[in-house]
Amino acid sequence: MAENKAISQNEYLSLSSEIMSVRKRGEVPLAYVRTYGCQQNVADSERIKGMLDKAGFSFTESVDDADFILFNTCAVREHAEDRVFGNVGALKNIKRKHPSVIIALCGCMMEQEHVAKRIQDSFPFVSLVFGTNCLHEFPRLLYNTLLYGKRTFLRGNTDENVYEGIPIKRDGLFKGFLPIMYGCDNFCSYCIVPYVRGREKSRRPEVVIKEAREMIEAGYKDICLLGQNVNSYGKGLDPRPNFSTLLKEIDKIEGDYILRFMTSHPKDCTKELIDTIAQSKHISHHLHLPFQSGSNRILELMNRRYTREKYLDIINYAKERIPDLSLTSDIIVGFPGETYDDFKETLSLIKEVEFTSLFTFIYSRRKGTPAATMPDVATDDEKSAWFKELLKTQEEIAAKRCENMVGSTQKVLVEEKSSNKEGILSGRTNGNIIVEFAGDESLIGSFKNIKITKARNWILNGELVKE
Ligand code: 5AD
Ligand code: SF4
């Protein structure tokens, strides 16, 4: 928050806290925050929770107990939107049962005109709606909603400022996200993100480095830098910093931690970035580089601005420089006009690269994007069959990659107890592969060496190495 605004926004939070001390239903005011979608949304919710915390709220996992309910929504695919509408509809009964509860919606869906209108017209029990670029205004919005009870809609993402100083309540104690930029300028023809999150804007490098240092000092062991296209970090800043330089600066901070980042765009992924990873002390040997389709014809229709050959060039360079590199990617199946021949190009690419894992999606038509009006040739059944073929092919590749790791020793960040196996812990390798092994829960949050004994598809089993 800008200096003069920070004061007034903080005051709004104190005033909200006073109102809530009277208005709460239970012993303390309770907030329920549910996050849909990507890591950027998780990071936004952590800031909203930081502000709610300052406004005197504790947090609950039950909508029934809450005084304040917030859904942070995702618009990237239709399925995610349908789930939000279904779950918002179900809140009508909660509002009927507890009329004092405040129901709020934010995130990418709210930046779409037709969605905001539908909320306005058909969901009168929703009191507050705010968009992706209005987080810094949340204290004022919350206060006004509590005080006047008037329905408030604040949307629009043309603000070019980056607001700093918003309090954060992170979900994890040793794994955390650190946003370095917001928005996207790429306009891939299928994607709604540039419309709902607005133009790219970067946080200043000194602010990012300071936040990284604070996280490391607070005991964070796994820090993930976030942006829709981290490779174009710095656009618009003067002097213009570059992403590799930012990584190098953070990497200099002393400590036992892993530095990750996502997402990289192949068109901007440079050899300098690969060299930076190879020479660093802390950067994970994991690169998430979405290629979306293996067919040059489809890549052009998608407006991705690289070819299959250029993608493979950078991948081959990366494999050469970082032999233990773990690669992951996003793929869309069934883009308008895609034929089985195009799809086969995607299959051949995944066989050639041998990714550790893939995030696979069936194309979802997004109103207002160029692809939404492109003619389609394949049926839904055909697309589902291709999708299954893709999953099966990747399963075999992942199993083979994991099998090759048996016998090696991996440095693993121990994350949690297994949900269904007594005495078993689970963690992740530097390359982000899940490892399960027997151990005491006091190890959670620390790095341990694990000897890999067995591969089960994409999960590894191992044993603690005695130190
Ligand atoms: N349909 C299907 N998948 C999509 N993605 C983005 N937009 C769409 C869409 N309209 C996928 C891309 C992107 C990931 C975050 O979501 O693969 O990399
Ligand atoms: Fe969407 Fe493309 Fe931007 Fe990623 S780079 S957020 S896929 S427009």
Side-chain angles (χ1 to χ4, degrees), residues 13-30 52 54-58 67 146:
L13 294 176
S14 314
L15 292 168
S16 295
S17 169
E18 278 171 34
I19 298 177
M20 284 315 299
S21 65
V22 182
R23 196 181 160 140
K24 65 188 180 202
R25 286 194 288 125
E27 302 228 317
V28 288
L30 289 174
L52 285 167
K54 286 229 148 121
F57 283 89
S58 293
D67 298 287
L146 293 175

Side-chain angles (χ1 to χ4, degrees), residues 234-298:
K235 216 157 108 183
L237 291 182
D238 185 22
R240 180 176 174 168
N242 126 336
F243 183 53
S244 296
T245 317
L246 179 76
L247 283 172
K248 283 180 197 148
E249 286 301 314
I250 299 177
D251 188 49
K252 283 184 197 157
I253 304 172
E254 294 290 329
D256 197 13
Y257 64 92
I258 291 184
L259 188 58
R260 303 183 189 278
F261 56 86
M262 68 189 308
T263 294
S264 290
H265 193 304
K267 83 175 163 56
D268 301 313
C269 184
T270 58
K271 291 188 172 164
E272 184 195 5
L273 174 68
I274 306 297
D275 294 341
T276 304
I277 302 173
Q279 288 156 4
S280 77
K281 195 165 164 206
H282 300 102
I283 305 173
S284 153
H285 285 189
H286 169 211
L287 185 62
H288 181 65
L289 198 60
F291 73 88
Q292 314 294 359
S293 167
S295 151
N296 282 337
R297 194 179 74 83
I298 297 297

Side-chain angles (χ1 to χ4, degrees), residues 310-354:
K310 163 133 194 291
Y311 182 84
L312 287 171
D313 266 359
I314 194 81
I315 291 285
N316 289 334
Y317 181 76
K319 282 180 171 174
E320 223 171 83
R321 291 288 280 125
I322 313 165
D324 66 343
L325 184 68
S326 164
L327 287 155
T328 57
S329 194
D330 294 350
I331 297 177
I332 296 178
V333 173
F335 182 82
E338 189 175 8
T339 62
Y340 188 63
D341 279 344
D342 292 310
F343 172 70
K344 277 199 300 201
E345 297 272 296
T346 297
L347 278 186
S348 87
L349 195 145
I350 67 163
K351 286 183 194 156
E352 185 167 344
V353 176
E354 298 194 316

Side-chain angles (χ1 to χ4, degrees), residues 184-188 190-194 228-229 263 265 292 304:
C184 181
D185 287 352
N186 288 311
F187 291 94
C188 300
Y190 50 82
C191 185
I192 195 77
V193 169
Q228 303 298 341
N229 176 12
T263 294
H265 193 304
Q292 314 294 359
R304 290 289 287 177

Side-chain angles (χ1 to χ4, degrees), residues 443-463:
L443 301 181
I444 292 173
S446 61
F447 287 106
K448 288 286 153 200
N449 284 324
I450 306 291
K451 171 109 190 264
I452 306 303
T453 52
K454 196 172 144 198
R456 291 185 292 123
N457 297 327
W458 59 92
I459 295 184
L460 300 168
N461 283 16
E463 285 165 4

Side-chain angles (χ1 to χ4, degrees), residues 173-200:
L173 292 173
F174 53 87
K175 275 183 84 165
F177 295 120
L178 200 178
I180 62 166
M181 59 194 295
Y182 308 101
C184 181
D185 287 352
N186 288 311
F187 291 94
C188 300
S189 64
Y190 50 82
C191 185
I192 195 77
V193 169
Y195 305 88
V196 294
R197 284 207 169 258
R199 297 292 58 75
E200 279 176 17

Side-chain angles (χ1 to χ4, degrees), residues 2 17 58 84 116 120 123 181 205 263-264 290 327 340 351 360 369 379 384 388-389 391 402-403 415 444:
S17 169
S58 293
V84 169
Q120 181 102 46
F123 298 84
M181 59 194 295
T263 294
S264 290
L327 287 155
Y340 188 63
K351 286 183 194 156
T360 46
T369 61
T379 63
S384 298
K388 280 193 196 129
E389 194 176 347
L391 295 187
C402 283
E403 201 59 57
E415 292 187 356
I444 292 173

